[in-house]
Amino acid sequence: MQIPCSEKELFVIDKVARASGSLGLESYLIGGFVRDKLLGRETKDADFVCAGDAIELASATARLFDPVPRVDYFKNFGTAHIRLSDGFDIEFVGARKESYQRDSRKPAVEPGSIKDDQDRRDFTINALAISLNHADYGQLIDPFDGLKDLEAKIIRTPLAPVQTFSDDPLRMMRAIRFASQLGFAIEENTWQGIRDTASRISIISQERITDELNKIILSPKPSVGLDLLYRSGLLRIIFPQMVDLAGAEYKDGHGHKDNFYHTLQVLDNLSVYSADLWLRWAAVLHDIAKPATKKFEEGHGWTFHGHEVVGGRMVPKIFGKLKLPTHEEMRFVRKMVELHLRPISLTKENITDSAIRRLLFDAGDDFDSLMMLCEADITSKNKQKVKKYLENFQLVRQHCRKVEEKDHVRNWQPPISGELIMETFGLPPSKPVGIIKDALKDAMLDGVIPNNYEAAFAFMLAKAAELGLQPKG
Ligand code: CTP
């Protein structure tokens, strides 16, 4: 075997080879598994291609295991899939002349040879195959010098780029995703092919596009992929709000920073510390409303007042359009966008405990994520300034820690519930109940009353009296 495999993997591969031999088929291990093994990366699934009936090969392979695992197959596509007990996925596909489109709805299965199949794959590094055949078992079949590209860290299409990308335009995003994920360069013709074919991305489903976008955002240095998306013209089509951040305007000697590259820098800074997709999305979106709120104030310069609020409102729309999850994850990102300026406002002198309590209350369990985002938001090139800003945030963290130890506001639950207010005053659910609840919360956060039941009850009676309400009975 010309790739380093574990014993367990060799055990599985051997079973496929035996099944293939017994059926008299020609079979190969191909695609991401071969690529990632050669790169020393982790692998979780393996693809097998055979010149013949892949479903038959999968069934014969399954029968060599004890117990026999289930074979899922798609007759229209001639593909099959087995999930082995330890979570190792193996997939089978018949060699085809048509383009290889895993998620496409249209069956494209004109049978072909292994060479036909390699021709129609996306990149030379993904077309590498290992023979499972008796005559040359374990040999690397590499008609396009994929191994050389792997060593030189190059993404290149096997055929003319425009053909490969027209067959499945998602491959343009895959090229950029691999470049960002693996730290590879896109070969010049392939890059030109992406630029020439970019508009065809619009025929691809949003789910597949977003899947690649998320992988780019999760890559070690996401700015690499996002900048390539931008320069290829793809970003303008799939996520125009982000492109609107690009560019810097000058007027009367006042300029502002290029918010696109600032955003990429924030995302990279954050990615050093967090692999959380949603916190990374918060970095992508933190300044998204800067173009919408930009104003030039005479004698003062550019302002973006309220961009955190407007940005917060844009989050559900963007998540909806990109088909990102619209519940908890979206709420988290929106909260981060809305709160991202608050810790900065607490770096000034003479900050009251009350302001700190409000931030702790509003951020709740996401306080640490918010601080991480704010620290990543420091993109000054002046090292002294960066040091000073980071120290200021350390002071905010310390102040927050002290107040939290004393007042426990991060997960604050009011000591007096809405039900108790209704019961005490014989009220139905109504406006006064909300007014009393809000007043109670404000009094506690502002330090007017301590965080306990007795004080809250007394405050409730006083506030209700102001509203002309008396306890019943
Ligand atoms: N493939 C392709 N065109 C696509 C998708 C996939 O040619 N649009 C081929 C490639 O040969 C790829 C193989 O199918 O290596 C398996 O696809 P997939 O599992 O989606 O990708 P991997 O390359 O394995 O990488 P990853 O798991 O990181 O997506």
Side-chain angles (χ1 to χ4, degrees), residues 340-353:
H340 82 270
L341 296 178
R342 290 274 291 280
I344 302 170
S345 69
L346 298 180
T347 56
K348 316 223 162 62
E349 273 169 36
N350 303 325
I351 295 299
T352 59
D353 282 6

Side-chain angles (χ1 to χ4, degrees), residues 31-32 35 47 100 102 121-122 126 168 171 174 177-178 215:
R35 177 198 69 221
D47 290 294
Y100 185 83
R102 158 153 305 182
R121 286 186 178 251
D122 53 1
N126 287 345
D168 178 5
R171 289 168 166 176
R174 279 172 63 88
R177 186 255 288 187
F178 285 122
K215 285 181 181 169

Side-chain angles (χ1 to χ4, degrees), residues 284-355:
V284 171
L285 294 175
H286 78 288
D287 278 346
I288 200 72
K290 277 200 166 169
T293 54
K294 178 166 128 175
K295 284 205 175 66
F296 186 78
E297 285 176 10
E298 291 300 332
H300 179 64
W302 298 98
T303 65
F304 304 91
H305 292 309
H307 74 271
E308 72 285 15
V309 182
V310 179
R313 269 187 241 130
M314 288 170 74
V315 171
K317 287 183 203 142
I318 292 171
F319 266 52
K321 163 73 183 40
L322 295 179
K323 294 217 162 82
L324 285 163
T326 48
H327 296 290
E328 215 178 297
E329 295 85 350
M330 193 265 289
R331 276 199 295 274
F332 167 77
V333 174
R334 179 173 188 164
K335 182 165 147 184
M336 291 296 103
V337 173
E338 283 174 346
L339 294 181
H340 82 270
L341 296 178
R342 290 274 291 280
I344 302 170
S345 69
L346 298 180
T347 56
K348 316 223 162 62
E349 273 169 36
N350 303 325
I351 295 299
T352 59
D353 282 6
S354 160

Side-chain angles (χ1 to χ4, degrees), residues 146-217:
L147 191 58
K148 228 163 105 192
D149 286 345
L150 208 58
E151 279 159 5
K153 300 181 167 232
I154 287 174
I155 310 284
R156 180 202 314 267
T157 55
L159 302 181
V162 170
Q163 176 169 354
T164 300
F165 293 135
S166 301
D167 280 349
D168 178 5
L170 185 74
R171 289 168 166 176
M172 297 184 283
M173 290 201 66
R174 279 172 63 88
I176 290 173
R177 186 255 288 187
F178 285 122
S180 200
Q181 213 173 38
L182 305 176
F184 278 31
I186 300 177
E187 175 270 334
E188 219 177 292
N189 280 329
T190 304
W191 174 244
Q192 194 52 47
I194 297 178
R195 294 176 57 127
D196 294 344
T197 323
S199 66
R200 301 227 29 219
I201 195 69
S202 52
I203 66 166
I204 297 296
S205 76
Q206 188 60 55
E207 287 81 355
R208 293 180 81 206
I209 291 175
T210 298
D211 197 35
E212 291 300 328
L213 187 57
N214 282 341
K215 285 181 181 169
I216 290 170
I217 291 175

Side-chain angles (χ1 to χ4, degrees), residues 159 225 234 238 353 365 394 407:
L159 302 181
L234 286 165
I238 62 168
D353 282 6
D365 278 342
Q394 278 311 321
D407 298 334

Side-chain angles (χ1 to χ4, degrees), residues 388-422:
K388 192 174 129 246
Y389 296 156
L390 284 172
E391 280 166 4
N392 286 345
F393 279 134
Q394 278 311 321
L395 294 177
V396 173
R397 280 183 191 262
Q398 266 173 29
H399 198 165
C400 287
R401 214 172 296 129
K402 271 199 207 134
V403 171
E404 177 60 18
E405 272 167 21
K406 178 163 64 82
D407 298 334
H408 308 290
V409 259
R410 263 170 86 157
N411 287 306
W412 186 71
Q413 293 295 332
I416 300 279
S417 67
E419 284 74 34
L420 186 68
I421 299 171
M422 289 192 271

